[in-house]
Amino acid sequence: MPLVLSRMLEEDIPAFAVMDEECMQGWGFARAMQHLNPDQPRREFIEEWTREDWGKDESQHWLKVSDTETNELIAVALWRFPIEGLEPHIEPPPSGKAEGSESKTEETKKQAPSVPDLFTVSRREWKILETEFIGDKPYAVLGVLATHPKHQRRGAGSMLVKWGCDKADKLGMITALQASTAGQAVYTKHGFEIKRAVELDLRPWGVDETELRRGMVRQPR
């Protein structure tokens, strides 16, 4: 069954949201991101989050891999390449907060112990990675990579990673990402190296697990 890589379209967003929900079911970090709004289905807030800036950010490159026999979307990536003259913008990962949920969020905050938002913690780690291993050079970011569990080990994720690496090589640009255990192998295959690894206790966000967050950087070739 041949696979093809192409630009993701706005009409693909619902299929991406459904696929993402399948991908993230067993990932503690994804569940922890929903700690302020646990009752909202992940696919719902992923769709809202994706639509929010769709077509508004020229640095974003949404890509998909489809199975040409079934026409099924099986993998998605979001690459960001800096635009000259603009500050690099790292979009927060989906947090589970939807429009209209402010009152519920505030109520949850009052009832729960005061802990920093999980994105704030992740962003802090990213800033350390940037400062220590990238510096003031422009760099590209792989912000999203998801492959449907039924279609893993078919090379779809590798196709999406290669697309960004090839573009970065043409630009002579560093690439960076934060890797989970599941994604580390494909990133290593394409030349990313672990520069910083931090074990994150997810219990403050309602998940009795720890997550090893790996900051990975790739030099242009």
Side-chain angles (χ1 to χ4, degrees), residues 53-70:
D53 286 335
W54 190 267
K56 300 175 185 176
D57 186 348
E58 294 181 9
S59 72
Q60 292 187 353
H61 299 268
W62 282 98
L63 306 168
K64 66 178 179 179
V65 172
S66 305
D67 186 312
T68 56
E69 290 192 2
T70 64

Side-chain angles (χ1 to χ4, degrees), residues 22-24 74-75 146-157 182:
E22 290 283 334
C23 293
M24 303 301 171
I74 68 169
T147 302
H148 195 289
K150 293 181 180 179
H151 295 280
Q152 291 178 356
R153 292 182 171 79
R154 294 184 60 193

Side-chain angles (χ1 to χ4, degrees), residues 28 50 58 78 102 116 119 123 129 142 149-150 155 165 205 217:
T50 308
E58 294 181 9
L78 170 59
E102 283 80 1
F119 171 67
R123 183 110 185 215
L129 179 75
L142 177 58
K150 293 181 180 179
C165 291
W205 298 280
V217 174

Side-chain angles (χ1 to χ4, degrees), residues 115-153:
V115 295
D117 180 82
L118 188 54
F119 171 67
T120 301
V121 175
S122 296
R123 183 110 185 215
R124 187 184 306 145
E125 287 301 321
W126 185 273
K127 191 63 179 178
I128 294 172
L129 179 75
E130 182 183 63
T131 301
E132 295 185 359
F133 300 103
I134 299 174
D136 58 0
K137 305 183 187 80
Y139 65 97
V141 177
L142 177 58
V144 173
L145 181 66
T147 302
H148 195 289
K150 293 181 180 179
H151 295 280
Q152 291 178 356
R153 292 182 171 79

